[in-house]
């Protein structure tokens, strides 16, 4: 200020002041643009990271529901096998205690009485139908038992996928079945 007063050039002082104000305004605008660009770049990077995480889960509209159902089915196989084996044993195994053998004994006992009591004909027909149905049921039960196998490896894979989905749902504070929609929304923002 002392040097400016000594030089006594007010027009030059005004001109330098005007240039400085213009430079300062331009500098501030440039800084704002750079900050906005940095924020935009950061947002794009974040969006790309979120989309990559979601794509890693290979989400479709019903992926969560299907995985959840498969996990429950795989986890229940041991229990199902136990109950089906128990039903199979009661129906056709354990020597004299099974249903098929008992039904045969009843049919055979009534067949002998049919000679003296012809009214048993209808009852024997119903027992014969019941016997056929029990044999078919037993065959179907055996087919089902042979088709059910525990698959711990697949169960582990499904549980890991569900863990990823639950983690992402918590991270984005949404329900797991809404992740597919979120993925589409994020991709449209890019």
């Amino acid at each position: 200020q002392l040097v400016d007063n000594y030089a006594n050039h007010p027009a030059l002082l005004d001109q330098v002041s005007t240039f400085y104000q213009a430079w300062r305004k331009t500098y501030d605008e440039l800084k704002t643009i750079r900050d906005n660009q940095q924020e935009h770049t950061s947002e794009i990077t974040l969006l790309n990271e979120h989309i990559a995480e979601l794509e890693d889960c290979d989400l479709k509209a019903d992926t969560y529901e299907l995985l959840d159902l498969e996990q429950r089915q795989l986890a229940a196989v041991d229990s199902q096998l136990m109950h089906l084996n128990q039903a199979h044993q009661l129906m056709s195994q354990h020597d004299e205690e099974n249903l098929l053998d008992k039904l045969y004994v009843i049919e055979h006992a009534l067949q002998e009485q049919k000679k003296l009591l012809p009214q048993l004909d209808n009852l024997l027909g119903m027992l014969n139908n019941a016997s056929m149905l029990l044999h078919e049921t037993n065959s179907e039960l055996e087919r089902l038992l042979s088709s059910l196998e525990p698959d711990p490896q697949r169960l582990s894979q499904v549980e890991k996928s569900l863990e990823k989905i639950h983690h992402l749902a918590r991270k984005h504070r949404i329900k797991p079945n809404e992740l597919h929609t979120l993925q589409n929304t994020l991709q449209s923002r890019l």
Side-chain angles (χ1 to χ4, degrees):
Q1 182 89 14
L2 184 64
V3 175
D4 290 338
N5 288 339
Y6 179 75
N8 197 20
H9 290 291
L12 284 175
L13 283 175
D14 289 341
Q15 190 177 15
V16 168
S17 177
T18 304
F19 286 149
Y20 174 76
Q21 289 173 359
W23 173 84
R24 186 65 188 178
K25 182 180 177 190
T26 304
Y27 176 80
D28 289 342
E29 288 173 356
L30 179 62
K31 186 175 183 310
T32 302
I33 290 171
R34 283 183 180 157
D35 290 345
N36 288 342
Q37 182 181 10
Q38 217 171 13
E39 286 177 20
H40 184 69
T41 302
S42 295
E43 185 179 352
I44 288 175
T45 302
L46 185 63
L47 285 173
N48 282 327
E49 288 172 4
H50 288 319
I51 290 170
E53 285 178 331
L54 293 167
E55 285 176 346
D56 188 40
C57 289
D58 193 29
L59 296 169
K60 307 284 185 276
D62 59 351
T63 299
Y64 175 73
E65 288 83 4
L66 293 174
L67 284 173
D68 186 53
L69 175 64
E70 185 178 2
Q71 187 272 338
R72 285 186 279 127
Q73 289 171 338
L74 288 169
V77 167
D78 289 333
S79 173
Q80 291 169 342
L81 282 171
M82 181 187 74
H83 291 295
L84 292 174
N85 273 319
Q86 185 180 26
H88 182 256
Q89 289 173 355
L90 289 172
M91 193 172 294
S92 65
Q93 296 176 354
H94 286 304
D95 301 327
E96 303 294 323
E97 297 178 20
N98 71 60
L99 288 175
L100 293 174
D101 286 346
K102 285 183 179 184
L103 190 59
Y104 174 77
V105 169
I106 294 169
E107 275 185 278
H108 187 64
L110 292 177
Q111 190 69 35
E112 297 213 359
Q113 297 302 315
K114 180 181 168 190
K115 297 173 192 166
L116 299 173
L117 193 60
Q119 295 93 331
L120 288 175
D121 218 14
N122 190 28
L123 185 61
L124 282 168
M126 289 190 289
L127 282 173
N128 189 23
N129 286 340
S131 177
M132 286 190 304
L133 280 174
L134 278 177
H135 277 87
E136 288 177 24
T137 302
N138 191 48
S139 295
E140 187 63 31
L141 193 54
E142 287 173 350
R143 276 193 292 280
L144 186 57
L145 277 168
S146 67
S147 70
L148 281 179
E149 284 185 39
D151 190 351
Q153 185 177 7
R154 178 63 185 153
L155 178 60
S156 176
Q157 290 172 339
V158 169
E159 286 176 341
K160 283 179 184 176
S161 295
L162 283 171
E163 284 175 23
K164 275 184 180 178
I165 289 172
H166 284 284
H167 170 73
L168 288 173
R170 281 190 305 274
K171 179 178 181 178
H172 294 285
R173 296 182 179 155
I174 59 175
K175 295 178 182 173
N177 57 357
E178 296 172 350
L179 284 171
H180 178 68
T181 306
L182 175 66
Q183 181 179 355
N184 291 337
T185 303
L186 293 178
Q187 286 174 332
S188 68
R189 285 179 61 188
L190 281 179

